[in-house]
Amino acid sequence: MKMARDDIPKETATMPMTMIQALRSAMDVMMERDDNVVVYGQDVGYFGGVFRVTDGLQAKYGKSRVFDAPISEGGIVGTAVGMAAYGLRPVVEIQFADYFYPATDQIVSEAARLRYRSAGEFTSSMVIRMPCGGGIYGGQTHSQSPEAFFTHVCGLRTVMPSNPYDAKGLLIASIENDDPVIFLEPKRLYNGPFDGHHDRPVVPWSGHALGNVPTGYYKVDLDKANIVRPGNDVTVLAYGTMVWVSEAAARESGVDAEVIDLRSIWPLDLETIVNSVKKTGRCVIVHEATRTSGFGAELAALVQEHCFYQLEAPIERVTGWDTPYPHAQEWAYFPGPDRVGAALKRALEGK
Amino acid sequence: MSQSKPLSLHVPEPTGRPGCKTDFSYLQLSPAGAVRRPPVDVAPLDTSDIATGLIRVLDENGDAVGPWAPEVDPELLRFGLRTMMKTRIFDARMVIAQRQKKMSFYMLSLGEEALGTAQALALEDGDMHFPTYRQQSLLIAKQVPLVEMICQLLSNERDPLKGRQLPVMYSVRRAGFFSISGNLATQYPQAVGWAMASSIKGDTKIASAWIGDGATAESDFSTALTFAHVYRAPVILNVVNNQWAISTFQAIAGGESVTFATRGIGSGIASLRVDGNDFLAVLSASRWAAERARSNLGPTLIEWVTYRAGPHSTSDDPSRYRPADDFQHFPLGDPVARLRQYLTKQGWWSDEEHERVQSELEAEVLAAQKEAESYGILGDERAPSAATMFEDVYKEMPEHLRRQRQELGV
């Protein structure tokens, strides 16, 4: 992957961080800057989170700002809506994205609609953090990628970082944003990048350029995609872990693919996508989530609408299968670099 | 035991169906003045007897008796009676307007006017109510202009919610009235969260949550009780037990052989069961709960025992599932009649004044309706602009919504 990025300021003090530490740093920075930021969820307080993302925050900011919550996703999001209506900026955690479902009514019917239905009298500025994605032998309820549930809901913003630098910048931007943000964190990327080669040793973030994170305040703008690998032959639209898989697939297949990390899934950066597909004439969409009615369908429709006359091949989708996420069959399910590479070649030959 | 009888499913039924008479003995009433008034710092479990009893102040003769009889300025009570009357007149006019197709839908609060009215008077400016669709008396007690309310009902060009919401789903932040949602019970944990926020910021404001008997079966009800208890949130958890959830008797919501107030006890929340048609009891219990919350002593759950005297909504016909004269037999009577009797006996109200106020309020409601209709009724050309449909989905309108607005040509 491209190691240097133009949008990263070079003079800022930085330190190596995993995605976990970068996310923690984002909350630390925002709690320092804004007294209205509060953080809570299951095991988030004293213990510091089952993934350590809130480690030390309670000790630093006190129990009234960072606290443990009962095991009730509906209660966590429901109380956050009330807090946001009061004027706080809650940053709440759902332990796994697979467990957001009990909070669906509060997310869809309430958080997403509050500004609209009250004509702006009440708002629900909040971030709901959820570790998501597979590739960790998580089985059915520790691997799901439910982003399409959220992108279908008007009033929500759905964001997913793919590296520590973006994770911190996007989380700060999400906390400052006045709309409710679903912040999906690919837990497979928490400790290091992962390109789908599960048979190779895990690489840590330390030593990786994108694991070198500014210690202070900065933002990565929402609604802005990032071209992580410029190319001319085919456009790959991906986010989260699939950014790394797609980059590996391009490298290994020898296809000069332009890999775009959406970062903000919806609303998204349509301009970057359209410009790229108009240039390459081909498009492969990659996500871990199941295929049917997955977010890839929306991406394919957008590309078809906006790039129809430039398309030289059918739009390809490489996704999880339309099955629950299995345990033993992890690597047959997970869209790895071989499957993505094959799709890149099909797109190239698909004329 | 080797020989077991076949099991059978128990499905609760109301005693009264159309053509029958309801046996209201299930209500387990206490005489006025019989239930004790504990100190506001009472331990939650020590309110168990109150959660199964019934706090009442006004007796059969219209006298205020017992430890819950509040100290109250007669002017406040006169205002309370006027507010209840105004709510009732407003409801009646709006039902007619719905029948005349000036609005699509309405929900009246007949028989429940004491609840919002008295609690509004027990709380302070800056406190926040999280109401259901049947607490319009809160708005009227807070003296929100009727014209503004009717414009919402008519979805016209002056509708503060720009025609986006079904009638009665008001939102009036300045009056401490949170945006109403169609999704039942969602406001309950939100109220707890608002109260937690007030605690987090070291504020002095409290929240008031509202729910009906039927909606207590929603998971958000239990969730809210758990969070309110865990974080000792300064919130009043009101349960309006009007015996009916559309066609469903409260027994099928879980009210058979148990009171809703006891749900609070099980969650470690001080809980009261109160005559919801007794204005003085509503005022007194609300003040008690507000003082408890404001003293950082934690939440209070209050089950208000009342009766949904009218249809569930303008889309409902109660004669298909309950006796037509049920309300006349409801043992707790009519909140307006009971306060009127008390005030009259005290010499603070009279039949003449009642008639005069009734006429005044009818004229006031009618005038408000006329003014509101001058800004448009449902479906006429004075509806809010279609362009505003795309606003407020997000703080800033994103590109895809700008494109969709252009596609509509507005």
Side-chain angles (χ1 to χ4, degrees), chain B residues 3-57:
Chain B
Q3 292 282 319
S4 296
K5 289 181 189 167
L7 298 167
S8 63
L9 181 69
H10 176 65
V11 181
E13 271 290 321
T15 54
R17 284 298 192 189
C20 314
K21 194 165 181 250
T22 299
D23 175 5
F24 282 109
S25 64
Y26 75 90
L27 286 173
Q28 307 211 20
L29 307 179
S30 313
V35 172
R36 72 194 171 91
R37 186 180 189 279
V40 290
D41 62 353
V42 64
L45 286 180
D46 292 340
T47 59
S48 300
D49 58 317
I50 307 174
T52 50
L54 191 70
I55 295 169
R56 306 177 68 185
V57 171

Side-chain angles (χ1 to χ4, degrees), chain B residues 310-356:
Chain B
H312 165 70
S313 72
T314 50
S315 307
D316 176 48
D317 174 10
S319 72
R320 295 171 65 92
Y321 52 79
R322 72 181 190 191
D325 61 348
D326 224 22
F327 182 47
Q328 275 99 67
H329 300 293
F330 182 64
L332 300 179
D334 173 350
V336 173
R338 288 174 67 193
L339 184 60
R340 177 184 178 181
Q341 181 192 18
Y342 171 73
L343 289 181
T344 305
K345 207 165 176 182
Q346 298 296 315
W348 298 335
W349 197 258
S350 65
D351 288 352
E352 296 73 40
E353 183 167 14
H354 196 85
E355 293 308 317
R356 182 172 54 74

Side-chain angles (χ1 to χ4, degrees), chain A residues 245-266:
Chain A
V245 171
S246 301
E247 196 274 339
R251 183 164 20 87
E252 292 161 12
S253 66
V255 176
D256 185 21
E258 178 148 290
V259 179
I260 297 178
D261 177 359
L262 299 185
R263 299 196 287 202
S264 286
I265 303 178
W266 191 262

Side-chain angles (χ1 to χ4, degrees), chain A residues 82-100:
Chain A
M83 286 185 198
Y86 178 94
L88 300 189
R89 283 186 186 270
V91 181
V92 298
E93 179 182 302
I94 303 289
Q95 203 159 78
F96 287 87
D98 314 65
Y99 301 134
F100 90 84

